[in-house]
Amino acid sequence: MPLTCKSLLQTHTEAWQRATVHPFLTGCQQGTLQPSQFNTWLVQDYLFVKDFTRMVGRVLAAAPDPHLDALLAGLVALKDELLWFQAKATERQLDLNTPRQGSCERYCEFLASLAPAPYPVQATALWAIEYAYNQGWQLPGPMPAPYTEFADRWGNPGFTDYVNLLAAQADGALATANESTQTQAERAFLRVAELEAAFWQMAFTPED
Ligand code: HMH
């Protein structure tokens, strides 16, 4: 049986829960998060998304022809997202020229480390990274202002369709992958889960 995105979620429910359910997100939903905590996440996520965009560029370079369209759409969305992060930072008077915190740095190092990985591994990691935010921002339920637009960005139906397409592409690539590649894909999935949990936590421990 080849590995699939669904089987990864079924095998690793607890790791995935830690990646997608966090006091940061419930704090947004309940209005109890400190603005400074939110701002820490906002700046660090902008730094992450810049490197993530470069990773998606590398996934595109490794992808088979039928996968190009979805990945190009993803890159177009990221172009808009980077400008949107800049606008949000300006509104909040945040300095984007800030060093990466440890958890952001480690996540960016992981993204870079995927460069030589076989395409099925890269496709699985890309799906997991996008699905983490798609689920994380949706699970708490409707978010009040000023967080509504943040929840919508990753929770909207168009983004959900995109994530489903990424899962189908990862599954397609995994279907013919050898065992060693499947093992690498599973490790990448677990590493994404771990790095996502640490990324939320960073807002509460600014030194990390
Ligand atoms: C940490 N993971 C993190 N930031 C993001 N913006 C995404 C995933 C989704 O794109």
Side-chain angles (χ1 to χ4, degrees):
M1 276 278 280
L3 197 69
T4 62
C5 294
K6 200 173 166 186
S7 72
L8 284 169
L9 293 168
Q10 284 170 347
T11 312
H12 304 293
T13 39
E14 280 173 25
W16 196 248
Q17 170 109 355
R18 287 192 290 275
T20 54
V21 179
H22 192 276
F24 180 92
L25 291 162
T26 43
C28 288
Q29 208 257 334
Q30 290 166 4
T32 53
L33 194 75
Q34 302 296 317
S36 64
Q37 295 171 329
F38 188 77
N39 291 342
T40 294
W41 167 79
L42 181 60
V43 171
Q44 294 297 316
D45 209 49
Y46 171 72
L47 302 175
F48 169 83
V49 172
K50 276 196 295 180
D51 264 39
F52 176 61
T53 301
R54 295 185 168 97
M55 176 221 164
V56 179
R58 292 190 294 267
V59 179
L60 178 92
D65 290 354
H67 293 190
L68 294 183
D69 190 64
L71 296 170
L72 281 167
L75 281 167
V76 171
L78 284 165
K79 169 182 158 56
D80 176 71
E81 187 163 307
L82 287 167
L83 296 172
W84 173 80
F85 266 110
Q86 289 164 13
K88 294 300 116 187
T90 302
E91 270 173 25
R92 290 169 175 264
Q93 299 181 302
L94 303 175
D95 184 5
L96 290 175
N97 219 332
T98 297
R100 287 181 194 143
Q101 292 181 204
S103 295
C104 182
E105 181 72 25
R106 283 187 284 279
Y107 209 155
C108 290
E109 280 166 12
F110 168 73
L111 299 179
S113 79
L114 290 167
Y119 177 70
V121 177
Q122 297 193 44
T124 303
L126 174 58
W127 158 74
I129 293 166
E130 296 290 39
Y131 188 50
Y133 263 40
N134 180 237
Q135 273 215 309
W137 285 101
Q138 270 185 79
L139 287 174
M143 295 262 186
Y147 305 122
T148 320
E149 66 173 306
F150 291 85
D152 287 350
R153 171 154 288 274
W154 292 285
N156 77 74
F159 191 76
T160 303
D161 290 344
Y162 170 63
V163 174
N164 287 333
L165 198 49
L166 292 180
Q169 294 191 171
D171 286 352
L174 287 166
T176 54
N178 64 30
E179 213 159 303
S180 141
T181 298
Q182 296 200 30
T183 303
Q184 268 189 75
E186 182 158 24
R187 281 212 200 99
F189 171 82
L190 284 170
R191 186 76 181 128
V192 168
E194 185 177 50
L195 289 161
E196 286 290 335
F199 206 94
W200 294 127
Q201 192 55 33
M202 196 168 48
F204 297 93
T205 44
E207 66 284 357
D208 188 32

